[in-house]
Amino acid sequence: MPAVMRLHDTRTGQVEDIVPATPGVLRIYGCGPTVYRDQHVGNMRSYLLNDLITRYATRKNLRVDLIVNITDVGHLVDDSAADTGPDKLASQAAAEQRSIAEVAAHYEAGFHADLAALNITPASRYPRASESIGLMLELIATLIRTGHAYVDEVGNVWFDARSFPSYGAISHNRLEDLQPSGEQDARKRFHADWALWKSTSPDAAVVFDSPYGPGFPGWHLECSAMSVADLGESIDIHTGGIDLRFPHHEDERAQTEAAVGHEVVRHWVHGEHLLFEGRKMAKSTGNVVAVADVVAAGLDPLAVRLAFLRMRYRQQTDLDWDALRAADRTLRRWRRDVARWAESPSKPMCSGYVERVEAAFADDLDTPSAVVVLQELFADDSLPDGSRFETAASLDQLFGLDLVRDVGRAPAALPDGAQDLLDRRAEARAAKDFATSDRLRDELAGLGVTVHDTPAGQTWEV
């Protein structure tokens, strides 16, 4: 079977041909959210990676089986190899004075709402860690039986890192070079071993029964158990943010392959960090931006998607509000053009534009080049409008920008008083009274009218 596309494999450090193990089916496992808080737009970039692969593979007539897990138990505050600190869900539940189940349900619902806002194709299934404890205990039993895990005197179960010779293949870390991080449990045989099962008291906030006593699973374990249970022992692509490469994906790979006895994931594909206004998003720096913040700023959430498409998924990128506002203006202009083209008689698609966009997607998701081709289509006045409409509508199956949203939609009426403000603003701009112009723009925004300044003058929409 020929390659579906080419993607950068973190393990090999090269762009590799993606050839499904089963002809006609592409199996993808993507690390999902820990549902103890709202996701920010940097998190959403990882899920867009799944979406772009899915859209292209589907366009090439493959059935995509995408699994994205929901972590609602087992992710500790310290997610390093130290395996220390409280469960993130338990900590958040205490802070919000709600049950763990209520916190998990709230933020999981928010996660799905954000996916919908960014037009991200839903996964085939979203298994929850809390509902997969049995699978994890079965995996632990296999690892103990095969000599890859051991139980300490208080009921913790540890993975024996030195029992897996190829540890470090993804992150290129060598066990002998790893230094202890954080507080270490003296019951571990080797400082780089990690917890598969953490012993706890029977009345703890997070606790499950097990053959080793009451406790809860380690964070890394859930992906090993659920990926094989849902997708089988050959997974074509495993995705996630680059921050998960080590230790999460390194530990996950070791657990899975040690239990199954052979390589399971054929390609590891990671999205790079997103900076916002020059810094990594963090509460401490006050630059965390969620999808809801973009909407509250009066921007279409798909402006985030367009801004991301202008960036290569595996390149660290800096985003800011100016870029989002520019993407919003471009998106609205494109939709107006598509709505106008739709009024013309239909004509055949322009195959040249289609082939160039598809080639860019196939080449390691080169979406920046694909967006340039789309821009050329919008600027190409030599094509019949009917042809441009059919081409843009077809290509939007890949871009996912909802370019046909305004087709057939009647323009919204201006609210009372808005036309007077628009007239006064036009006069202010003609007089180069930009302070007044900006003030009137704000007043119009208060009425729900967004104004755009173009070389031909101001335009507006409700």
Side-chain angles (χ1 to χ4, degrees):
M1 180 178 176
V4 177
M5 61 194 311
R6 303 177 74 236
L7 292 170
H8 185 269
D9 189 319
T10 307
R11 179 171 47 184
T12 66
Q14 297 178 347
V15 176
E16 305 278 358
D17 288 343
I18 305 298
V19 180
T22 302
V25 181
L26 186 67
R27 294 184 174 90
I28 308 172
Y29 186 87
C31 276
T34 300
V35 286
Y36 73 105
R37 65 179 184 186
D38 289 319
Q39 301 293 292
H40 57 62
V41 295
N43 302 135
M44 301 311 293
R45 191 183 187 197
S46 293
Y47 309 118
L48 178 62
L49 172 58
N50 297 332
D51 173 78
L52 296 174
I53 297 171
T54 297
R55 284 175 179 271
Y56 183 78
T58 301
R59 190 174 175 92
K60 293 304 174 183
N61 299 315
L62 271 74
R63 177 172 68 83
V64 176
D65 199 0
L66 169 64
I67 304 300
V68 174
N69 68 299
I70 301 293
T71 300
D72 58 354
V73 66
H75 194 168
L76 304 185
V77 169
D78 182 352
D79 57 15
S80 70
D83 292 304
T84 60
D87 182 282
K88 289 187 175 184
L89 265 294
S91 295
Q92 190 65 23
E96 296 185 15
Q97 297 185 327
R98 293 196 287 179
S99 71
I100 292 175
E102 288 172 331
V103 169
H106 172 78
Y107 290 110
E108 182 180 343
F111 166 65
H112 289 297
D114 288 345
L115 293 179
L118 295 186
N119 207 9
I120 290 174
T121 308
S124 307
R125 293 174 296 286
Y126 293 95
R128 299 184 182 93
S130 63
E131 298 171 355
S132 306
I133 302 300
L135 293 174
M136 292 185 244
L137 289 173
E138 290 175 13
L139 182 58
I140 289 174
T142 299
L143 291 170
I144 293 174
R145 186 176 65 251
T146 55
H148 291 287
Y150 57 94
V151 187
D152 68 20
E153 61 270 25
V154 299
N156 295 310
V157 183
W158 305 94
F159 187 91
D160 183 353
R162 291 177 292 186
S163 75
F164 191 71
S166 66
Y167 187 88
I170 301 173
S171 63
H172 309 298
N173 288 314
R174 297 189 304 174
L175 281 177
E176 57 268 29
D177 294 335
L178 292 177
Q179 299 298 316
S181 62
E183 180 184 350
Q184 296 292 312
D185 193 314
R187 301 178 183 90
K188 291 197 292 186
R189 295 176 182 172
F190 181 61
H191 69 81
D193 294 349
W194 62 88
L196 301 175
W197 188 261
K198 291 285 287 184
S199 174
T200 190
S201 63
D203 58 351
V206 179
V207 62
F208 300 90
D209 291 330
S210 82
Y212 324 105
F216 55 90
W219 173 41
H220 313 305
L221 184 68
E222 65 173 285
C223 289
S224 292
M226 289 190 284
S227 61
V228 173
D230 275 282
L231 293 173
E233 295 184 1
S234 184
I235 299 170
D236 298 305
I237 303 170
H238 193 312
T239 66
I242 194 66
D243 56 312
L244 299 180
R245 176 180 53 182
F246 182 83
H248 184 53
H249 286 167
E250 200 68 78
D251 293 359
E252 179 191 339
R253 171 180 172 268
Q255 296 163 168
T256 308
E257 294 187 9
V260 173
H262 60 77
E263 180 180 271
V264 174
V265 174
R266 295 154 63 86
H267 302 284
W268 294 86
V269 179
H270 292 94
E272 255 292 353
H273 287 298
L274 175 75
L275 305 179
F276 198 87
E277 295 179 338
R279 297 172 297 174
K280 183 179 178 180
M281 286 193 190
K283 286 185 178 180
S284 59
T285 55
N287 69 334
V288 174
V289 178
V291 174
D293 297 321
V294 175
V295 175
L299 305 179
D300 190 312
L302 290 183
V304 175
R305 186 181 179 98
L306 177 55
F308 284 160
L309 289 170
R310 286 172 165 162
M311 313 166 180
R312 197 70 168 268
Y313 76 93
R314 61 184 178 94
Q315 293 177 332
Q316 186 177 105
T317 308
D318 195 1
L319 188 63
D320 58 31
W321 283 109
D322 286 342
L324 289 176
R325 283 188 284 266
D328 182 80
R329 290 192 296 271
T330 298
L331 194 55
R332 295 176 191 276
R333 184 178 71 251
W334 283 352
R335 287 182 183 147
R336 287 195 297 269
D337 288 346
V338 169
R340 176 170 53 82
W341 297 341
E343 297 174 358
S344 300
S346 178
K347 298 287 185 181
M349 287 189 295
C350 179
S351 59
Y353 283 105
V354 173
E355 291 169 1
R356 291 170 62 200
V357 167
E358 289 185 349
F361 269 76
D363 183 18
D364 194 24
L365 293 176
D366 186 4
T367 55
S369 293
V371 170
V372 169
V373 176
L374 188 62
Q375 290 171 325
E376 292 175 6
L377 172 66
F378 277 89
D380 190 350
D381 294 331
S382 67
L383 289 175
D385 285 351
S387 177
R388 287 203 281 182
F389 171 78
E390 298 294 349
T391 306
S394 175
L395 290 177
D396 201 36
Q397 295 172 8
L398 291 174
F399 289 107
L401 295 170
D402 205 2
L403 294 176
V404 299
R405 178 185 296 180
D406 294 341
V407 172
R409 179 182 294 181
L414 280 170
D416 291 342
Q419 187 60 60
D420 177 60
L421 293 175
L422 286 168
D423 293 341
R424 288 163 53 196
R425 185 174 185 276
E427 292 173 0
R429 287 191 62 79
K432 300 189 183 303
D433 182 358
F434 297 115
T436 299
S437 170
D438 291 344
R439 177 176 57 79
L440 292 170
R441 179 201 290 272
D442 292 341
E443 289 187 37
L444 285 159
L447 295 175
V449 179
T450 302
V451 182
H452 303 286
D453 293 313
T454 73
Q458 68 182 6
T459 62
W460 57 267
E461 57 191 321
V462 179

